[in-house]
Amino acid sequence: MRTVVSAFLALLALVVMAAGLASAWLDENLVEKSGFVALAAPLGDDADFQTALADSLAQDFAANTGLPEQFDSFVEPLIRDAAGTVTGAPGYLVAWAETLRLSHAVTFAKAPDPSEPAPAVLTLDLAPVVGLLADSLDGSLGLEVPIPEDTTIDIGSLERGGLLSGAAASVQPWPLFLAGAAVLALLALVIARRRGTTLALLGLGVVGIGVLGYLAADWVPAMAARAPGTSAVADVFIRGLAQRAGADIAASSAPVIIGGLIAVVIGVVGQLALRRRRA
């Protein structure tokens, strides 16, 4: 009976630990604004994203010039040239970082309303970059080009019911998850008849959790690639973000694997030492 109870507690400890580690990463890198900005900021330098962003900005501005149609053939090429160079402007990276901060605030501030369409998984608010392009156009054209009213791009959608807010709230108690996993693991060791073996098995379970996290470098981008696209900017952004997220999860999993291996070694050595004493 002690062995069965110990095994159950050990298994439960591993499940709670896995949930705690996943929640910790989600909270620190997606729910927290600073973590999200740090994770997504390098995408501003990605060549594919810059191209898609420039094309999207050019289309929006060209459709909202407010000028007579006979001027379109003259103004549109200038808008496209300006959009293509805005990502190299001195203030672009600052505008991109501000875009991410605004996008995070907009995404998590949306309160679901049953009468409205499903909310976006993520909403990119490009207002700072749009403002940068507008300033550039004012200087090159010598006239004020109206800024598009809607500067947001929705990426994916969620069903109604506050799923995004609920998920954000559910991952924030991750320290309690990890503390609970530690308590369960300690109880499993106290109850176990062969504590060295139990510790080694717990260590193997931790290694398994770490290996799953390490494989995230492949499966997170693969999941993003299968997600339905909403626009060229959204597609490039979400795939780039998924690649960075997968790589970060993999890097964060290395200490977990090392910790699990240490537990395995301690458990095996302890069990062998105990056998020698009894012999």
Side-chain angles (χ1 to χ4, degrees), residues 91-100 128-129 132:
Y92 167 69
L93 292 180
V94 175
W96 173 240
E98 182 61 23
T99 288
L100 293 175
V129 179
L132 193 64

Side-chain angles (χ1 to χ4, degrees), residues 134-196:
D135 292 340
S136 174
L137 288 172
D138 291 346
S140 61
L141 294 179
L143 52 85
E144 184 177 349
V145 177
I147 295 178
E149 294 183 3
D150 186 6
T151 59
T152 62
I153 296 177
D154 287 344
I155 299 176
S157 62
L158 290 173
E159 295 180 0
R160 285 286 149 202
L163 178 60
L164 187 61
S165 300
S170 67
V171 301
Q172 290 177 343
W174 62 264
L176 297 178
F177 298 160
L178 295 181
V183 170
L184 290 169
L186 183 59
L187 288 174
L189 290 172
V190 170
I191 295 173
R193 295 180 59 188
R194 297 179 178 178
R195 292 171 183 168

